[in-house]
Amino acid sequence: MSRPPELDVLFEPVRIGPVTTKNRFYQVPHCNGMGRAYPSAMARMREVKAEGGWGVVSTEQCDIHHSGNHLRELRLWDEKDIPYLARAAEGVHRHGALAAVELVHNGAHVPNLESRTIPIAPSARPVKGLHPVTARAMTKADIRALRRWHRHAVLNARRAGFDIVYVYAGHDMTLPVNFLSRRYNQRTDEYGGSLENRVRLMRELLEDAKEAVGDTTAVALRFGVDQVIGPGGAADPQEARAVVEMLADLPDLWDVNLANFEKDGASARFAGEGAQAEYVSYVRGVTSRPVVGVGRFTSPDIMAGMVRSGVLDLIGAARPSIADPFLPRKIENGDLDDLRECVGSNVCLAHDAAGVPIRCTQNPTMGEEWRRNWHPERIPARDTPDSVLIVGAGPAGLEAARALGQRGYPVILTERRRELGGRVTLESSLPGLHTWARVRDWRVQQLRTMPHVRILPQSEMTADLVLEAGCSLVGLATGARWRGDGVGRRHTEPLPGVGLVPVFTPDDMMAGRLPAGHVVLYDDDHDYLGAVITERLVAAGCEVTFVTPQSLVSAYTQATNEQGLVQRRMRTVCRQVRVSTQITGFTAGTVVVDDVYGGGADALTADAVVLVTSSMPDDRLYRELVPSSLKSAGIRKVVQMGDALAPGTIAAAVFSGHLFGRTLDTGPTDEAPYRRENVELAPDQPLPGDMKLELIGEGRTT
Ligand code: ADP
């Protein structure tokens, strides 16, 4: 299929200083939980993006020195760090893309737990976060040293093969932005005081980089134009504009975003596509250099509109490139129905924060490109004679059927309900979660192109029907049900008196069975659902008291970058928010609560209680399928997957379905199911006892 001509603009080359990108698709730097701990996984993931058609593929942040030492990200302290970065750049080049590296010194943002070097900052201040560490004020000699480190890193980045090097002042966390901010910078020398002085370091880093490599390598500035906290923020909007004007044509590329990461990486609950345009649109009018910006872009029309209306030259993407590494290639080929759109769940961020390879709600192969050799577009052809019955068309069942269908297996997919999608269809009706439906829509669209996959909605399967289906392999993706007895993370036994106040569960909410009056919502799940259901109840006219045994509302949303936004919203919509509070029981019309740290009991009058505590696998069908009857029915194996195996995130359900599609199983294997990369031992490492160890390569330390 050929693409609509109005999208041609996205495939124009753009000159970035001494280099040229083949199109306008620009994968901006993003964390991925792989970094230097999983270097080949990181490199392969970047390569796959290049294969998918991104004109520029960037690394995540890359430390330049041990005094700004991030625990997980890349580093380029000296030439020892070149090999694995070179592997990433090489992979990107193999597919005709440009490779960019985001060099960073994190200043007072990091406590330097690994290196134990005292952090440095424009002025002395406690480091960000909770570690009891204070950054010391930089001397002039420190500033000169920083410029030297940055210059060395820039030169080493060129040696590693990068086409674009960054000066990173993009979020409220790096030294150039610390110097810019009056909140961080109380210096009285030529690096403090006036804006001209506070921007001096940023200018010098740019000039140094250009002087060092500018003949061959582009120098980009990642700059947060607004912290969105008004005057005095890391990037005060008025001052930020003045900075853009002062530095206008100095960088070869402006990579602009919001300095406030909560806003910059907002989930779909809190920001829609293109939400940053209003903040960054002026930049292109100030500089003659190309401008790249982000906005969780997944719609080709909006992307082309951004270029045509003069907001951006290059369409930046982090999360959309994770959800669909082949997004540019598909647009180029006109395969617009095949675009797998980011849902904005921020499950990627949550796993980067956990220090493991990121995962994606939409793309189960993310992070698995190298270690499991999973490709987002290709999958091995059918290699067994099986025909497969999948019961349940939620995210797990849909993905299993899709992957098996792609492999060429004959599949029957049955679903009890009229609508496909299981929990994503149900949850997407809740406030802010409409994008969840993309998980269903993409898979249903793909399945429609597969004549060997039969989809049977409104077909509830019993054990007898499974035996009669005539398939050799059965996948059960029957989902889970929320508990109504209060058992969850805190309570291992049903709550005393449960039922004395009418009980509702998330399943009731999603089926449209809502309480009225004053409702106590008890969240012992701690992900998004408790707060989202609260919003739904408030919209339906209920008064809600939100109670949670955690000290934070929706505590897990710290990982998804939503915590501050959720807190603010709950404080606005709820009658009362009670944290560190547990339900201890019920009497008629009252919910008895207690402070978890012993602050004393309290009785809340309530017309109803909504228990968002935990869910249980729906394994009824699995238990009804008697092993002895399977063989005579020609069924060689029954496999559970998704929430029916173990309730979790939508991403986990999709992954489980995909794993079944690839391996025809979901259980543990004797061997680790993926390749691992171990750290090489240094040659001078004393070995315990008589142990002999063969060193690989030169036994380099990293
Ligand atoms: P997951 O997240 O694991 O995909 P979901 O709860 O989203 O789980 O989806 C499970 C789906 O399975 C639901 O749409 C449900 O209606 C369907 N289902 C459950 N039991 C049966 C059954 N016996 N026959 C057909 N469909 C079923």
Side-chain angles (χ1 to χ4, degrees), residues 195-242:
L195 181 62
E196 181 101 31
N197 282 355
R198 284 181 280 120
V199 87
R200 190 179 305 282
L201 179 67
M202 205 183 298
R203 181 194 292 282
E204 286 173 347
L205 294 177
L206 287 164
E207 285 169 351
D208 292 347
K210 288 197 77 159
E211 190 273 320
V213 299
D215 52 334
T216 55
T217 310
V219 177
L221 176 63
R222 196 177 209 195
F223 185 60
V225 296
D226 194 341
Q227 201 186 0
V228 210
I229 60 168
D236 175 312
Q238 264 85 49
E239 287 209 334
R241 190 184 177 112

Side-chain angles (χ1 to χ4, degrees), residues 140-162:
K140 290 278 193 56
D142 290 324
I143 294 175
R144 282 194 298 276
L146 170 75
R147 290 178 61 182
R148 195 171 61 241
W149 306 330
H150 198 270
R151 190 171 185 280
H152 283 162
V154 161
L155 287 165
N156 280 333
R158 178 163 70 179
R159 285 170 65 195
F162 288 98

Side-chain angles (χ1 to χ4, degrees), residues 544-547 553 567 570-571 574-579:
V544 181
T545 298
F546 187 99
V547 177
V553 173
Q567 289 268 6
M570 285 303 101
R571 273 150 215 266
C574 290
R575 170 162 139 178
Q576 204 187 2
V577 174
R578 306 266 309 235
V579 295

Side-chain angles (χ1 to χ4, degrees), residues 375-382 399-409 411 442 446-447 450 452-453 658 662:
H375 191 276
E377 298 298 308
R378 294 189 292 274
I379 192 165
R382 175 187 185 188
E399 175 59 17
R402 190 209 61 78
L404 289 162
Q406 191 188 0
R407 297 186 65 186
Y409 279 93
V411 180
W442 181 74
Q446 297 293 301
L447 287 167
M450 299 174 181
H452 49 294
V453 179
H658 192 82
R662 293 239 181 203

Side-chain angles (χ1 to χ4, degrees), residues 48-200:
V48 167
K49 304 266 195 89
E51 189 193 347
W54 297 88
V56 180
V57 177
S58 312
T59 67
E60 62 273 38
Q61 56 171 289
C62 178
D63 286 353
I64 59 166
H65 192 256
H66 60 83
S67 59
N69 160 217
H70 200 287
L71 287 182
R72 297 185 307 274
E73 313 284 350
L74 303 177
R75 66 184 174 205
L76 187 45
W77 293 0
D78 54 40
E79 63 280 0
K80 283 200 188 104
D81 295 317
I82 289 178
Y84 72 96
L85 288 168
R87 181 174 287 192
E90 240 173 66
V92 168
H93 288 158
R94 257 197 288 279
H95 303 278
L98 298 177
V101 60
E102 186 185 45
L103 301 177
V104 62
H105 193 297
N106 270 309
H109 188 70
V110 284
N112 294 343
L113 295 182
E114 181 190 329
S115 67
R116 301 181 72 167
T117 309
I118 301 293
I120 51 176
S123 306
R125 56 163 292 131
V127 296
K128 274 251 188 81
L130 296 175
H131 292 286
V133 174
T134 305
R136 66 173 176 81
M138 290 168 77
T139 61
K140 290 278 193 56
D142 290 324
I143 294 175
R144 282 194 298 276
L146 170 75
R147 290 178 61 182
R148 195 171 61 241
W149 306 330
H150 198 270
R151 190 171 185 280
H152 283 162
V154 161
L155 287 165
N156 280 333
R158 178 163 70 179
R159 285 170 65 195
F162 288 98
D163 310 286
I164 301 173
V165 294
Y166 267 81
V167 171
Y168 183 16
H171 296 99
D172 181 19
M173 59 191 224
T174 72
L175 273 181
V177 83
N178 289 169
F179 271 78
L180 177 64
S181 164
R182 269 173 298 192
R183 293 190 309 142
Y184 292 80
N185 184 346
Q186 286 88 43
R187 299 177 75 92
T188 52
D189 62 6
E190 68 269 34
Y191 288 93
S194 69
L195 181 62
E196 181 101 31
N197 282 355
R198 284 181 280 120
V199 87
R200 190 179 305 282

